[in-house]
Amino acid sequence: MTSRGTPSRFLQSVLQNGVGRYVSQLKRICIVFSRKAQSSLGVREFIEEGVVDYAKKNPATVVYVSPQSCRIPKIVAEYLNGNVREEIITSKTAPQISDLLTKLTNQSGLDVIRIRKPFHTDNPSIQGQWHPFTNRPPCIGPIRPQKQEAE
Amino acid sequence: MVFLTLSCWIRSRGPDRYWKVQEVLKHARHFRGRKNRCYSLAVRAVRRAFVYATKARKLKKRNMRTLWISRIAAATREHGMKYPALMHNLTKTSVQLNRRVICDLAVTEPRSFLSLAKLARARQQEGFRAALGDGKEPAGVFSRVVLLQ
């Protein structure tokens, strides 16, 4: 996995989320599980106990619960910028699923790829970025290379 | 008579060759020439690329440090000092800034960098006075080591 061969992005927040109001970036969650299979045991437990509390705590996210006959239970999370994330929850316990859901809620929908720098500023320079004339005294007349004595 | 040999000659090969080949080729798509299309050439090129990527992780740290050092050296020479003098005197005044931060200051905050250079020069002059003088003068302001409780 080379840095040039794999996609990468800079650290950013979606539209400066959090500077003013914080808007949860999770649009909707679809919990796909089966009614009878053994792999969806934890999901069924979570739906009996935790789903309603989760939906009340996150009023901005729509929660869909869809029991189907499927081999692998999944959580399909869609974000406001259109990204879709699917997490497989076979043989997970209910607390593990609620932890997973909090993780998905706290994520912004940006791609999970290499972040080039762990910091970002819109105003990197306060005193003015350096340019070749920053530390030179202003002079009348043609600009010549500085002599050593003048420094 | 039943002809059985003909059906024995038919072999069913593995069904996954396309995907196994694409797994390698997807890492070679941005290469130049036939290495980005032909599997046998791509395999070798992709392996070399991965080896270079692994080795480069150590080299990147070295290269970034030399870049910072050359930038700091250029910035200090603008102010009439040299890089070793600056760094040594900054450590003596217990300014614990690493080269990355000092380089960023030199680029984006030239006046702060000027103040760092002046601090280092003052400490340097105090060091010279302490070494060349007679020991009767008190140590200078910047030579006092501050012990933070």
Side-chain angles (χ1 to χ4, degrees):
Chain A
M1 317 300 155
T2 40
S3 64
R4 221 174 253 192
T6 35
S8 58
R9 64 175 175 98
F10 286 97
L11 182 69
Q12 53 174 171
S13 62
V14 179
L15 289 180
Q16 273 89 26
N17 201 13
V19 175
R21 167 179 300 227
Y22 172 72
V23 175
S24 169
Q25 293 295 311
L26 193 53
K27 195 160 58 172
R28 66 180 82 100
I29 280 194
C30 189
I31 309 182
V32 173
F33 66 108
S34 117
R35 263 183 261 256
K36 300 267 179 81
Q38 206 47 31
S39 46
S40 326
L41 195 62
V43 196
R44 274 175 262 141
E45 217 187 290
F46 175 72
I47 287 175
E48 281 166 29
E49 304 160 6
V51 140
V52 183
D53 300 326
Y54 174 81
K56 284 191 186 152
K57 260 201 276 180
N58 310 56
T61 318
V62 185
V63 180
Y64 291 94
V65 168
S66 91
Q68 306 164 354
S69 65
C70 63
R71 288 191 62 190
I72 344 162
K74 287 188 218 172
I75 293 184
V76 182
E78 276 180 69
Y79 289 91
L80 287 175
N81 59 4
N83 285 359
V84 179
R85 258 197 93 171
E86 287 190 9
E87 300 271 348
I88 300 182
I89 39 177
T90 39
S91 320
K92 282 212 164 112
T93 57
Q96 284 175 336
I97 295 177
S98 57
D99 288 337
L100 183 69
L101 270 186
T102 41
K103 181 189 92 158
L104 289 173
T105 327
N106 295 334
Q107 278 181 349
S108 73
L110 301 165
D111 311 319
V112 182
I113 47 181
R114 179 180 71 100
I115 297 182
R116 292 198 192 191
K117 299 186 203 189
F119 39 80
H120 173 79
T121 26
D122 289 323
N123 317 299
S125 176
I126 309 280
Q127 296 169 1
Q129 197 168 45
W130 184 91
H131 55 80
F133 297 106
T134 347
N135 292 320
R136 287 197 174 193
C139 68
I140 310 169
I143 297 173
R144 291 266 144 78
Q146 280 180 307
K147 291 180 198 167
Q148 282 301 339
E149 311 138 73
E151 275 183 6
Chain B
M1 281 211 334
V2 188
F3 295 100
L4 295 171
T5 339
L6 197 63
S7 52
C8 292
W9 286 339
I10 299 172
R11 303 191 296 157
S12 65
R13 314 286 293 282
D16 296 318
R17 186 187 303 164
Y18 173 75
W19 290 285
K20 288 189 185 169
V21 161
Q22 290 306 307
E23 251 183 44
V24 171
L25 284 178
K26 79 173 181 245
H27 292 292
R29 285 304 175 201
H30 62 287
F31 290 173
R32 197 190 225 206
R34 269 193 277 178
K35 307 194 280 269
N36 58 23
R37 299 186 285 281
C38 310
Y39 179 73
S40 7
L41 302 174
V43 160
R44 292 177 234 155
V46 164
R47 175 174 278 254
R48 301 200 91 202
F50 287 174
V51 168
Y52 290 147
T54 339
K55 286 189 200 163
R57 276 177 222 137
K58 286 193 184 172
L59 291 181
K60 180 175 176 180
K61 299 165 180 58
R62 280 183 229 167
N63 295 344
M64 294 300 281
R65 191 173 157 114
T66 43
L67 178 69
W68 298 329
I69 289 176
S70 47
R71 283 184 179 172
I72 298 171
T76 49
R77 274 167 200 263
E78 272 196 337
H79 298 301
M81 272 180 86
K82 294 195 183 164
Y83 169 84
L86 178 88
M87 298 310 286
H88 189 51
N89 290 301
L90 281 185
T91 50
K92 279 200 274 189
T93 49
S94 67
V95 171
Q96 288 162 349
L97 292 174
N98 60 4
R99 281 143 189 88
R100 186 190 75 154
V101 169
I102 301 181
C103 173
D104 287 341
L105 287 178
V107 171
T108 54
E109 329 281 347
R111 276 177 258 163
S112 307
F113 186 80
L114 175 63
S115 60
L116 280 178
K118 284 183 180 170
L119 171 70
R121 195 181 297 132
R123 179 66 182 84
Q124 194 185 36
Q125 301 302 320
E126 282 174 19
F128 290 158
R129 261 183 281 137
L132 301 170
D134 295 336
K136 292 170 199 166
E137 299 161 16
V141 175
F142 299 115
S143 316
R144 279 183 237 153
V145 176
V146 179
L147 291 166
L148 295 166
Q149 307 279 298

